[in-house]
Amino acid sequence: MFMPLHSIARLPGGPLLGLWHLTETPADLWPQLAGAAAYTPLLPARADGPRQAQWLAGRVLVQQLLAAAGAPPATLRNDETGRPFLLGPAAPAVSISHSGEWAAALLAPAGVAVGIDVEAVRDKAQRIARKFLNDHELAAIESITLADAAPGSASQELFSLLWSAKETLYKLAGQRGIIFRENLLLDLPAGPWPVPGILPARLQINGAISRHQICYLRPAAGYVLTYCV
């Protein structure tokens, strides 16, 4: 049986961060998913083999996190905004993400806002930067470098990290109608950034501002991950 659970780490305050290195096919993953019959109608209609494997790996990983937390098994659903949640009274808060060979999940006590995102480093984020970064953020990028970035892909990694950070903020907010350039704000310090590290951020929604700390790291070469509790 394939069991590529990469790691489960307990974060300060008790939340659990899980990483799954995806090597299986959907046929390998379905038997690992408890209550698989409940998930069959939830599988996205357009999920091909690789995407179905990612979808399944994320849900198997959440089951592993529930077991590690000593919480009862629960089925993962999505609300009207697409935000995942676990069925059951006082069920833990959860956020999941997947990209390429990696799935990631964050589990926290009920009522806690969480967000997580993993991204394969590629040029797409850099190409669409003006769609999700505001003018202040774009200007700040000129003075930023990432420690130990792979030669030839430093810019792609930085833009992928910033896209991931805004995806994490979006999941943390859990609302429709959010404009990435206006409502999800990154306070980008100048100079070299350590990896792993912490990035200050703000949610500015309906005239209210909340401040957050986004943690970032490299789960593997060619990938970036961000999360916030």
Side-chain angles (χ1 to χ4, degrees):
M1 174 183 289
F2 292 88
M3 285 295 290
L5 176 66
H6 179 269
S7 61
I8 293 178
R10 188 171 294 277
L11 305 176
L16 294 176
L17 169 65
L19 293 174
W20 187 283
H21 186 201
L22 181 59
T23 61
E24 309 101 321
T25 65
D28 299 319
L29 288 161
W30 276 112
Q32 299 182 48
L33 188 61
Y39 284 99
T40 302
L42 303 178
L43 180 69
R46 297 183 179 180
D48 56 15
R51 293 183 181 182
Q52 186 177 148
Q54 291 173 338
W55 188 87
L56 289 166
R59 280 142 186 84
V60 174
L61 177 56
V62 169
Q63 291 184 350
Q64 296 277 344
L65 292 178
L66 287 169
T75 301
L76 189 70
R77 300 279 186 138
N78 293 86
D79 65 17
E80 64 278 1
T81 69
R83 193 179 194 180
F85 68 96
L86 291 161
L87 290 176
V94 66
S95 184
I96 62 174
S97 180
H98 48 70
S99 180
E101 298 179 349
W102 289 90
L106 195 60
L107 192 77
V112 175
V114 293
I116 192 168
D117 185 75
V118 62
E119 297 286 341
V121 173
R122 48 184 180 160
D123 65 354
K124 180 179 179 180
Q126 190 167 2
R127 287 190 284 106
I128 66 170
R130 291 194 174 275
K131 293 184 178 181
F132 70 92
L133 296 173
N134 59 40
D135 291 343
H136 178 75
E137 293 162 342
L138 286 167
I141 288 173
E142 300 299 324
S143 61
I144 297 170
T145 57
L146 283 176
D148 302 320
S153 66
S155 293
Q156 290 183 18
E157 183 172 344
L158 177 57
F159 280 95
S160 296
L161 173 59
L162 299 180
W163 168 254
S164 180
K166 292 219 170 182
E167 279 286 306
T168 284
L169 271 179
Y170 176 76
K171 293 178 180 181
L172 193 76
Q175 296 184 29
R176 290 187 182 275
I178 285 178
I179 300 173
F180 277 41
R181 298 178 77 252
E182 298 178 9
N183 304 123
L184 312 178
L185 307 177
L186 303 176
D187 298 319
L188 306 179
W193 290 6
V195 180
I198 297 175
L199 176 61
R202 289 168 288 148
L203 282 173
Q204 184 169 291
I205 302 174
N206 299 327
I209 298 176
S210 58
R211 298 185 180 275
H212 306 276
Q213 299 288 315
I214 298 178
C215 300
Y216 63 86
L217 54 92
R218 292 186 186 101
Y223 288 85
V224 292
L225 182 145
T226 62
Y227 65 89
C228 186
V229 179

